[in-house]
Amino acid sequence: VLASILSLTIYWIIRDRYRVRNLNGKHIFITGCDTGLGNSLAKWLDKKGFCVIAACATEKGSQELRSCSSLSLKTVSLNLADSNSIARAVVFVTEQTAGKGLFGLVSNAEGTAPVGPTDWLRIEDFHSVLDVSLLGLIEITLKLLPLLKKAEGRVVNLINAKGLMAFVGGGYSLSKCGMEAFSDTLRIEMQHFGVKVSIVEHGFFKAEEVTSGTIEKYLFKLWNRLTPEIKNSYGEKYL
């Protein structure tokens, strides 16, 4: 038993010291780079020497990122809820990689997710998050798989661990559970091609969009559009 523990410890130490070498020419495509974790990761990988392709939802986000990064960092506009936007981004990535393939795909973008009791919601409230965080992620991953297989690259899906516990209604937890299942299946299937698939489960981090004021605003918006029948069934005290 002691020998097994010692061997495992040595293996972990060796594994954790492993670093990717020859970073020049290795392209990494990251979604959700306007702010937050995606933005910070794009800047960090750029400083490390990777060829970063950062997808932003706004021109403001693209300009800010380019202003504080090297010339090798490229940005592209991306709306994961729009198949045409995804197709244009895939063409851009294909052109940038110039036949080398894609070393890494990091999916980070999240859709807006109204939070509240399930019967306060409409189907479009579910679409607003699932179309981006789950279906958009799946679509862009599928379209980039040929490039990932060519470079024997890796897929890294960033998932907020708080979304794995369904404690409130809406599509947020649904999207996170779906991302986990998609990643686990893809990992098994891509082993044959030398493509790695990883899940990074992170907690909440300080960001403008994660505030009690935003949550309260969503709740009152949902409440104000309810029918009198549903409002009466909950009552003002519940709100």
Side-chain angles (χ1 to χ4, degrees):
V1 172
L2 290 174
S4 298
I5 294 173
L6 181 61
S7 298
L8 191 59
T9 302
I10 293 173
Y11 165 74
W12 274 339
I13 292 173
I14 294 174
R15 184 197 64 175
D16 291 347
R17 287 184 176 178
Y18 176 76
R19 294 291 182 271
V20 176
R21 307 298 179 187
N22 302 318
L23 306 184
N24 291 332
K26 286 183 167 62
H27 290 81
I28 298 181
F29 180 55
I30 310 171
T31 66
C33 293
D34 292 83
T35 58
L37 191 56
N39 183 277
S40 299
L41 181 62
K43 294 173 182 176
W44 186 77
L45 291 176
D46 177 57
K47 290 179 181 178
K48 289 290 182 180
F50 286 101
C51 298
V52 176
I53 306 171
C56 297
T58 65
E59 182 58 31
K60 180 182 178 181
S62 296
Q63 290 177 356
E64 185 276 333
L65 194 53
R66 288 195 301 266
S67 68
C68 55
S69 305
S70 73
L71 295 176
S72 66
L73 183 143
K74 307 296 181 183
T75 61
V76 61
S77 176
L78 177 63
N79 176 7
L80 283 173
D82 182 357
S83 292
N84 292 326
S85 179
I86 291 175
R88 289 191 293 269
V90 170
V91 170
F92 183 82
V93 173
T94 303
E95 293 172 347
Q96 291 296 316
T97 54
K100 298 178 182 178
L102 185 61
F103 182 74
L105 166 62
V106 182
S107 292
N108 170 63
E110 291 190 340
T112 56
V115 175
T118 299
D119 65 346
W120 290 20
L121 303 173
R122 300 171 181 171
I123 191 63
E124 53 264 31
D125 297 322
F126 287 86
H127 277 295
S128 68
V129 61
L130 293 175
D131 286 351
V132 174
S133 298
L134 183 57
L135 298 179
L137 174 145
I138 293 173
E139 183 173 355
I140 199 161
T141 302
L142 293 177
K143 290 186 175 179
L144 289 174
L145 279 180
L147 294 178
L148 290 160
K149 289 159 71 175
K150 187 169 188 176
E152 294 189 354
R154 64 268 291 120
V155 177
V156 180
N157 290 328
L158 305 182
I159 302 175
N160 192 321
K162 297 292 180 69
L164 299 179
M165 181 176 67
F167 63 94
V168 70
Y172 191 77
S173 294
L174 288 176
S175 69
K176 302 310 170 189
C177 293
M179 288 169 68
E180 291 267 350
F182 174 71
S183 302
D184 289 340
T185 304
L186 190 66
R187 182 184 304 113
I188 297 169
E189 296 169 345
M190 287 294 108
Q191 284 180 348
H192 174 74
F193 301 99
V195 175
K196 298 179 177 66
V197 179
S198 300
I199 298 169
V200 177
E201 296 174 350
H202 61 83
F204 280 124
F205 52 90
K206 189 175 182 180
E208 292 179 2
E209 52 271 14
V210 184
T211 65
S212 59
T214 302
I215 296 173
E216 184 175 312
K217 179 181 177 182
Y218 269 125
L219 279 173
F220 277 102
K221 181 179 178 181
L222 294 175
W223 176 261
N224 290 332
R225 76 181 189 188
L226 294 178
T227 63
E229 181 183 6
I230 296 179
K231 279 186 176 181
N232 291 334
S233 69
Y234 282 90
E236 291 284 349
K237 185 177 179 180
Y238 183 91
L239 175 64

